[in-house]
Amino acid sequence: MTTTQHEAFTVHRPADPVVVPLPLPPAGHFIAGAFVPGSADSPRIDVVNPATEEVIASIHAGTAGDVDTAVAAAVEAQKSWRNTTPKERADVLNLIANIIEANRAAFEAIESANTGKPPAVAEDDVTSTIDTFRFMAGASRTLTSMAGGDYATDHTSVILREPVGVVGVITPWNYPLLMAAWKIAPILAAGNSIVLKPSEQTPLSTLKLAEVLAGRIPDGILNVVTGQGRIVGQRLSEHPDIALVALTGSVTSGQAVAETAGRSVKRVHLELGGKAPVVVFPDADLQAAAAGVRNAGFWNAGQDCGAACRVLVHEAVAEEFTRYLVNEVGTLVVGAPDSGADVEIGPMISRAHFERVKESLADARAAGLTIALGGSVLEGTGYFIEPTVITDVPSRAPIATHEIFGPVVTVETFSSTEEAVRRANESPYGLSASVWTRDSSLTLRVPKQLDFGTVWVNSHLVLACEVPWGGFKGSGYGRDLSLYALDDYSRTKHVMINHGA
Ligand code: NAD
C-alpha cells in the first residue's frame, strides 16, 4: 500500500463569475411581525462573503433598547400563543417548513454567500432545517405529562406541562439557519415566544426567515434583533421578562451568558464547543474509518462542533490508517461555492478566524509535529486553508486539546483499550465521539465509558431529529432535537386538588 501523491491544494474559483443578485432580506430588527429600523444612532455591521472578502450587506448593531422592545412584543404574543393547542402550534410549524421549502433556493444562495459553504452543505442545511420544523410539529402533539393520581388522602394530583415564557436565543455562524431552526422549532412548539440574536457575522438567513414568515405566523412569537453578543446577547441574558436563554456558541460566550443569567436565576441552555475523539481499534475497517474522518472531519471545512478532528488510533495499525487517511483527505476539493458542484471545502468564516487557525498550524509546526498533509493557508482572495492532517501527535498537545474549528485533523496513538478511553476522556469538552471497531464486545462497553453526549460506533456526525444532541462538561448542558428539547423548553406544574368531604 502506498500513499497517493496528491496534487497540491488549490482554490477553485468560478472561471467566469456570473453575478446573480442575492435575494437579500431587509436590514433591520424584526419585531412584532414587521421590520423596524435600528435606533437612529446605532452603528452598522458589515456582512462579508468569506470566499470573496466582499461586503454583501450591512446590518444594525442593536441596542439594549431594541431588545427591550422585542421582549415586550414577545411577552404580548405569549398571552395568546401559550393557550393554543398542540395542533394549532403544529400547523404553524408545518407552515414554516413549507415556506422555507418554497424559498429553498434563496436560503441556499444566502447561506453560501454569507458563510462560503459549498452548495452541497447549504442544501443539506436547508433540508435539515425543514425536517426539524416538521419533526417538532409532529412530536409536540405526542407530548404527555405524568398521569394524575392520588398521592395524599383525598387529594388528586395533576401534572401540567407549560411553556416557560419568553426565550432568548443566541446563535452561531457555522450553520446560521439550521442552528436557529434547532431552537425556534422546539421553543415555539412548546408554546413559548422568542427573541433571537443571530451571529453578527451571519445574520442574513435568519433575517430572510423573518421576511418570508412576516404576516404568515402570529406577530411577535418570533422576533429577531441583530447585533453584537456583548450588547444584544448580554441584554437577553439579563432581561427580567426572559425566562430562559438558549445559546449555541463558544465556551467563553456560554460562560458569559450563564454568569449574567445567574443573577436573575434564569434558566440556561448551552450548546458549546467540542473536540470529538475518533477512537480507531486495531480490528476496525481502517478504510471505512479513514473515509469517515474525511467526511466528518472536513464537513463545513471542519467548522463543526462535532467534527471528527482528533483521531486516537491503535499503534499496531497507526501507520496503515494514516496512509489511508492522507490518501482520502488529499482528494478533497477546495473552492468558492460558485466554482462547481464538486467543491467540498469552503473558506474559514472570517479573517479573524482564518488568522486563529493559521496560528494554531504555525504553533504545531514550531512544536515539531509531523504535518502529513496540508498545513498552510491558501494564498489569494478568501480565507481558505489547506485540508490538514497532523500525525504522531503527543498526548495533551495543544493542537489536539483545544478547538481549532477548521480543516485540521490530528492523529495520536494508544496501546490499550483502557488508555484509549482515558485519553479520549482527557478533554475539557464532552460533546461527541466515535468508536471504530468490528469487535461486538466493544460496541457498547466503550461508548458507556466515554464522557460525551453522543457516541457513534463505526460512524460519525450522523444526526437525526428523533435523537438528542448536546454535551457534557465544557460542551454545555441542555439538549437540542428530539423530545428532550421539548422538555427543556417546558416547565412542570403540580396542581393538587383536595376533594375530601
Ligand atoms: P461565539 O461564541 O463567538 O458566538 C456565538 C453567539 O454568541 C453569537 O451570536 C455571538 O454574538 C454571541 N455572543 C458572543 N459573546 C456573547 C456574550 N458575552 N453574551 C451573549 N452572547 C454572546 O461562537 P461562534 O464563533 O459564532 O461559533 C462557533 C462556536 O460555536 C464553536 O465553539 C462551536 O463549537 C460552537 N457550536 C456548538 C454547537 C453545538 O451544538 N454544541 C453547534 C454549533 C457551534
Side-chain angles (χ1 to χ4, degrees), residues 170-171 173-174 197 200 248-250 253 272-273 305 403 405 469:
I170 303 169
T171 54
W173 49 256
N174 58 347
K197 189 203 89 64
E200 57 277 26
T248 299
S250 61
S253 306
L272 307 179
C305 47
E403 194 181 38
F405 228 56
W469 176 255

Side-chain angles (χ1 to χ4, degrees), residues 78 81-84 86 89 143-146 158-167 186-193 243-244 267 485-495:
Q78 244 289 284
W81 182 246
R82 64 177 296 121
N83 293 322
T84 51
R89 296 201 285 269
L143 289 183
T144 53
S145 300
M146 211 203 290
V158 179
I159 312 292
L160 302 178
R161 174 193 285 272
E162 298 185 341
V164 295
V166 178
V167 178
I187 293 171
L188 290 185
N192 308 286
S193 53
L244 186 155
R267 277 170 64 179
L486 289 165
D487 273 343
D488 282 357
Y489 298 120
S490 306
R491 67 182 192 186
T492 302
K493 180 182 284 176
H494 170 214
V495 178

Side-chain angles (χ1 to χ4, degrees), residues 170-175 179 182 197-201 227-230 233-234 237 247-251 253 256-257 271-274 304-305 403 405 431 469 475 480:
I170 303 169
T171 54
W173 49 256
N174 58 347
Y175 299 102
M179 291 301 99
W182 281 17
K197 189 203 89 64
S199 166
E200 57 277 26
Q201 298 178 77
Q228 302 287 356
R230 63 178 187 282
Q234 165 78 18
S237 312
L247 168 117
T248 299
S250 61
V251 176
S253 306
V257 165
E271 296 291 350
L272 307 179
D304 189 301
C305 47
E403 194 181 38
F405 228 56
L431 186 58
W469 176 255
S475 295
D480 281 330

Side-chain angles (χ1 to χ4, degrees), residues 357-371 375 388 390 393 397-400 404 408 410:
V357 178
K358 185 176 162 186
E359 206 173 299
S360 295
L361 292 173
D363 290 348
R365 232 181 256 283
L369 300 185
T370 309
I371 314 277
T388 297
I390 303 180
V393 174
I399 192 112
I404 307 289
V408 180
T410 59

Side-chain angles (χ1 to χ4, degrees), residues 76-356:
E76 190 54 34
Q78 244 289 284
K79 290 176 187 161
S80 47
W81 182 246
R82 64 177 296 121
N83 293 322
T84 51
T85 62
K87 178 187 180 308
E88 287 166 335
R89 296 201 285 269
D91 287 347
V92 170
L93 263 67
N94 278 320
L95 176 65
I96 295 175
N98 293 346
I99 293 172
I100 296 172
E101 190 148 47
N103 290 279
R104 169 186 269 284
F107 281 109
E108 289 173 17
I110 287 173
E111 211 69 318
S112 275
N114 198 169
T115 63
K117 60 178 67 187
V121 181
E123 190 185 328
D124 187 75
D125 287 4
V126 176
T127 299
S128 301
T129 295
I130 294 166
D131 193 45
T132 303
F133 281 102
R134 295 220 165 107
F135 169 78
M136 287 299 170
S140 62
R141 297 186 68 182
T142 70
L143 289 183
T144 53
S145 300
M146 211 203 290
D150 286 20
Y151 305 105
T153 307
D154 291 338
H155 287 70
T156 296
S157 288
V158 179
I159 312 292
L160 302 178
R161 174 193 285 272
E162 298 185 341
V164 295
V166 178
V167 178
V169 172
I170 303 169
T171 54
W173 49 256
N174 58 347
Y175 299 102
L177 181 67
L178 183 59
M179 291 301 99
W182 281 17
K183 307 296 186 210
I184 296 170
I187 293 171
L188 290 185
N192 308 286
S193 53
I194 299 173
V195 180
L196 187 155
K197 189 203 89 64
S199 166
E200 57 277 26
Q201 298 178 77
T202 56
L204 300 181
S205 53
T206 306
L207 290 172
K208 189 73 189 174
L209 182 63
E211 182 191 5
V212 296
L213 297 183
R216 313 273 309 267
I217 65 171
D219 292 346
I221 60 170
L222 173 63
N223 305 277
V224 179
V225 178
T226 56
Q228 302 287 356
R230 63 178 187 282
I231 295 168
V232 177
Q234 165 78 18
R235 183 63 185 151
L236 288 173
S237 312
E238 68 192 11
H239 199 293
D241 292 338
I242 288 190
L244 186 155
V245 188
L247 168 117
T248 299
S250 61
V251 176
T252 316
S253 306
Q255 286 165 328
V257 165
E259 203 177 314
T260 306
R263 285 182 223 137
S264 55
V265 200
K266 218 184 273 324
R267 277 170 64 179
V268 178
H269 185 283
L270 299 175
E271 296 291 350
L272 307 179
K275 183 81 183 176
V278 177
V279 184
V280 183
F281 285 100
D283 63 284
D285 178 339
L286 300 180
Q287 268 180 323
V293 174
R294 178 195 195 275
N295 183 41
F298 295 88
W299 183 258
N300 207 32
Q303 299 170 121
D304 189 301
C305 47
C309 55
R310 180 191 172 206
V311 175
L312 282 152
V313 57
H314 192 278
E315 59 191 9
V317 294
E319 202 186 318
E320 187 183 352
F321 170 80
T322 304
R323 234 176 289 143
Y324 286 135
L325 181 63
V326 169
N327 285 345
E328 282 283 351
V329 177
T331 64
L332 284 166
V333 179
V334 182
D338 50 353
S339 63
D342 57 340
V343 171
E344 297 169 283
I345 303 280
M348 301 293 91
I349 189 66
S350 63
R351 166 69 59 190
H353 187 49
F354 170 85
E355 293 296 338
R356 269 197 301 272

